Every structure is written in C-alpha cells, then in structure tokens.
Amino acid sequence: MRFIPLVLFCLLISCKKKEVQTVLINDVPKLKSIQLASQGEFKKGSLIFIEPYLVSKNYGSEEVFYLTLKQYFDFAKEKGKISVDRTLVRLPRHIGTWLIFSGEDRSLFDEDTMGSYYKKILNENFASFLWIYMYNKSYAKNEFVETIYQMKAWQMAYKYQSIFSRLAREYRVSIIAGSIVLPNPKVIEGNITPTEGPLKNVNFYFHSDGRVDERISNWSDDLSFIYEGNLFPIFAKQKLGEGKIICFFY
C-alpha cells in the first residue's frame, strides 16, 4: 500500500461529492457538415471509415456520445452505404479514451488543457481517487494520471461497450471500435473488463449482433499524450464542425 498521511484519510471521510450537472445534447456544438467519399462498386460488402468531428462536450455523457456517433451512421445509411450484416465500420484511435470525461460535471468542459481536466476530475472525485491511489499497484511514472484512468476504468469500459454494441445491433454492422486506454483489459464472460496491469491502448471488435471479441490490437507505446500536451490530438487535422466518411466497396 502506498503511504498516505492520516490527515488525508480523514479528509476522505468528510468528503461529499456535489450533485453533478451533466452535459446535455443541446450543450454540444452542432455538426455543420459530413463529407462523403466512395470508391468501388458494391457487390459483396463495404468497409466504412468514419472520422467524426468531436469536441470535449461530445463525451459529456454516454447518451450524448452515442447520439454524436449516430449522426454518421444515419448519414451513411441514408446514402445507401450500409448493407445489413455485410458492412465493417472502422473508427479512429483513442475515440474511446476520452470517455474518461463522461459523467463529469459540465463545468469540467470549461477547461482547455489536459492538466486542468485531470485536476478537475480529481477535485470532483477526491475520495475515489485517494482510495485507488492507496490500494492499486502503479505501473507508470506519472502515478497521478495513471490513478485517474484506474479510477474511471470500469465506467469507461462499460460505456464504451454499451455504445458500440448498441450501434452494431441497431445498424446490423460489424465495428472495429476506435481504441480506448484501460488497465490491461480483457473480455470476460462477454464483457470488457479492466484487470490488474498497466494502462494499454486497445481496440475491440463488435459483431453485428452486438457481441464483443477479445481485443484485436494493442499500442502500448502510444500513451505519452495522456500525460501532457494539447487536448484531443487525434482530431487536430479536421476542419471546424466537419466530419468525414470514406467508403470502400467490394
């Protein structure tokens, strides 16, 4: 167990988490447009890459994030690009990582740096943070950020699986969901489960009936950005308010 002064433990007993005012879909900036590019002729199936335009508020709650992604699936379906049980949808790296902000108070989203986001999460979840810091094993140099992710891991895993299973079932498509940072995650009895171990950046495959497979890729060396740097680097190349869908047919 890591040493924590007794006075901090006493603070833990007295901490009371205030009522959270979560982000609503109306709080999220409207998507201005979706670009669509297609290649090939549809005969047997299709591969669709979705590069969504996202801001921090899109992660405000599970429902807000689901509705955000649903816009792209709806658009592809309306354009005739989705074929039931014969379409594979691919989403970008780290799209699930930012679920660490999900469920936090809407005041969190007034921040503009990674460090200020993490500090805000700490302030709102001090008791949980202290418990995890005291009793969980550390594998990283930056124990503060590692503890934040350990603390939120079960919520993140549940929401990630809930959202992508729902989309897969609703549109009858297979999904290689964008990656998410979790502590050594495994699929146990059909559920994505954080386990003892270091943070890993992983993808999961969802069948068109919503079932999730064991993780299919692992980028263990792609975690430095969660400790420092600008927010949401994977979306930096996108134009303001514009998302992209690229379809390949075969």
Side-chain angles (χ1 to χ4, degrees):
M1 184 181 79
R2 306 177 205 177
F3 176 75
I4 297 292
L6 182 60
V7 65
L8 290 181
F9 188 77
C10 293
L11 286 174
L12 168 64
I13 304 300
S14 61
C15 278
K16 289 186 178 180
K17 197 173 189 299
K18 70 178 183 180
E19 183 178 353
V20 173
Q21 300 294 323
T22 56
V23 171
L24 304 175
I25 190 62
N26 291 335
D27 298 325
V28 179
K30 300 296 183 184
L31 182 66
K32 294 181 180 179
S33 64
I34 298 177
Q35 284 189 345
L36 176 64
S38 300
Q39 182 175 334
E41 296 181 1
F42 183 86
K43 294 180 179 179
K44 296 181 180 179
S46 60
L47 173 61
I48 298 177
F49 293 89
I50 296 179
E51 187 179 346
Y53 172 76
L54 297 169
V55 297
S56 58
K57 286 184 178 179
N58 289 110
Y59 290 89
S61 71
E62 177 182 337
E63 188 67 12
V64 168
F65 189 48
Y66 161 76
L67 291 173
T68 298
L69 296 181
K70 187 177 186 297
Q71 297 176 84
Y72 293 89
F73 283 79
D74 283 343
F75 186 84
K77 184 176 180 180
E78 290 169 4
K79 297 298 182 179
K81 307 304 181 183
I82 288 180
S83 179
V84 173
D85 293 325
R86 291 192 293 166
T87 297
L88 174 63
V89 178
R90 182 72 166 88
L91 290 132
R93 279 190 186 188
H94 292 302
I95 197 171
T97 299
W98 307 115
L99 286 168
I100 193 167
F101 304 134
S102 181
E104 296 297 325
D105 190 84
R106 66 177 63 183
S107 63
L108 172 78
F109 301 96
D110 295 329
E111 307 297 334
D112 58 3
T113 66
M114 293 295 290
S116 57
Y117 269 64
Y118 293 142
K119 289 176 183 178
K120 189 78 172 182
I121 292 175
L122 169 63
N123 292 339
E124 298 294 332
N125 301 273
F126 180 73
S128 298
F129 177 90
L130 189 55
W131 182 267
I132 296 295
Y133 186 84
M134 290 171 64
Y135 291 104
N136 277 30
K137 184 178 179 180
S138 175
Y139 299 87
K141 292 181 180 179
N142 191 322
E143 294 186 22
F144 169 66
V145 174
E146 179 188 41
T147 303
I148 295 286
Y149 277 86
Q150 289 175 338
M151 176 182 71
K152 300 278 302 232
W154 284 92
Q155 296 176 45
M156 291 169 64
Y158 173 82
K159 292 176 181 180
Y160 176 88
Q161 181 168 350
S162 175
I163 290 164
F164 288 111
S165 290
R166 184 177 175 184
L167 289 167
R169 290 193 307 270
E170 185 173 345
Y171 296 91
R172 295 296 299 177
V173 297
S174 299
I175 300 175
I176 300 178
S179 66
I180 183 171
V181 172
L182 293 170
N184 194 30
K186 299 177 181 179
V187 175
I188 301 176
E189 297 183 353
N191 296 309
I192 299 174
T193 306
T195 66
E196 179 70 31
L199 296 178
K200 293 185 177 180
N201 177 28
V202 295
N203 267 345
F204 289 89
Y205 177 86
F206 291 83
H207 295 269
S208 59
D209 60 3
R211 290 179 296 114
V212 62
D213 267 347
E214 193 62 66
R215 67 184 191 229
I216 60 173
S217 58
N218 174 27
W219 295 289
S220 59
D221 60 342
D222 191 23
L223 301 178
S224 60
F225 75 92
I226 70 172
Y227 303 123
E228 57 187 350
N230 297 325
L231 275 174
F232 311 118
I234 59 171
F235 307 121
K237 295 181 180 179
Q238 293 179 248
K239 294 180 180 179
L240 183 62
E242 182 182 276
K244 298 177 182 178
I245 297 178
I246 303 173
C247 308
F248 295 91
F249 303 102
Y250 56 94

